[in-house]
Amino acid sequence: MVSVIFKFRLEKILNLRRREENLLKHEIFDVRNQILLMEKELSMTRKTFKEKAEKFLNLLKEGLSGEEIKKHQIELYLWKEREKEILKKIESLRKREEELLEMYKKKRMERRMMEKLKVRRYKNYLKEMDRLSRKHMDEIAERRFWWGSKR
């Protein structure tokens, strides 16, 4: 009896699908980390803006010259613009995350299909090996019956 080893002809493609899926996982992880960092930066910017605004209000109560008021207003404006810039970055990172998630879902589905195909082909292989083994055993039994038995 000849033993045949199961070989999935699409194994390289399956491995490629796995690698692509893992790369997307890592990229999603990186984008999420960037979002977290930007959210922390946003929090710090808002906190600084609030502190600067309170300081400005307190200085206004004490009395400031027009030039100092303008200087503080520009500073507050710049902090507000920085906040808007960070929000835009977070929004673009979230869009990128959604795109990557869609790509990841597609790649995962492709990988799962390939794995199911591999399992089906392996089951068919096992059935065929079982059928060949039974056929071989039947031939051996038949030979013994016709040529090996003494009547």
Side-chain angles (χ1 to χ4, degrees), residues 25 80 122 134:
K25 271 186 203 177
K80 210 47 160 164
Y122 184 68
R134 280 187 271 119

Side-chain angles (χ1 to χ4, degrees), residues 47-142:
K47 181 181 175 185
T48 304
F49 175 80
K50 185 177 177 183
E51 290 170 357
K52 298 276 183 186
E54 288 174 0
K55 179 181 173 187
F56 177 58
L57 288 175
N58 289 335
L59 289 173
L60 273 178
K61 290 177 186 175
E62 296 172 8
L64 286 175
S65 68
E67 191 175 306
E68 290 177 352
I69 291 174
K70 190 172 186 177
K71 181 180 128 187
H72 284 285
Q73 286 176 334
I74 290 171
E75 185 179 16
L76 290 176
Y77 172 77
L78 292 174
W79 280 105
K80 210 47 160 164
E81 287 301 309
R82 177 70 181 141
E83 180 181 346
K84 288 177 186 177
E85 183 182 312
I86 293 171
L87 285 171
K88 284 181 185 177
K89 285 182 184 178
I90 290 174
E91 184 179 332
S92 70
L93 285 170
R94 290 197 191 280
K95 284 181 184 177
R96 179 70 180 145
E97 180 187 26
E98 287 176 23
E99 292 168 2
L100 289 172
L101 282 172
E102 287 302 315
M103 290 169 53
Y104 172 73
K105 288 176 186 178
K106 183 180 175 188
K107 294 294 179 187
R108 184 179 63 191
M109 183 181 73
E110 290 172 359
R111 177 195 46 88
R112 285 181 175 173
M113 286 175 23
M114 294 293 290
E115 286 177 344
K116 286 179 183 178
L117 177 62
K118 181 179 180 179
V119 167
R120 276 196 309 268
R121 288 196 177 164
Y122 184 68
K123 285 180 182 178
N124 289 339
Y125 162 80
L126 291 177
K127 287 178 186 177
E128 182 65 17
M129 289 297 105
D130 185 49
R131 186 187 67 77
L132 290 174
S133 175
R134 280 187 271 119
K135 181 179 176 184
H136 183 69
M137 295 304 282
D138 288 347
E139 289 172 358
I140 291 172
E142 187 176 329

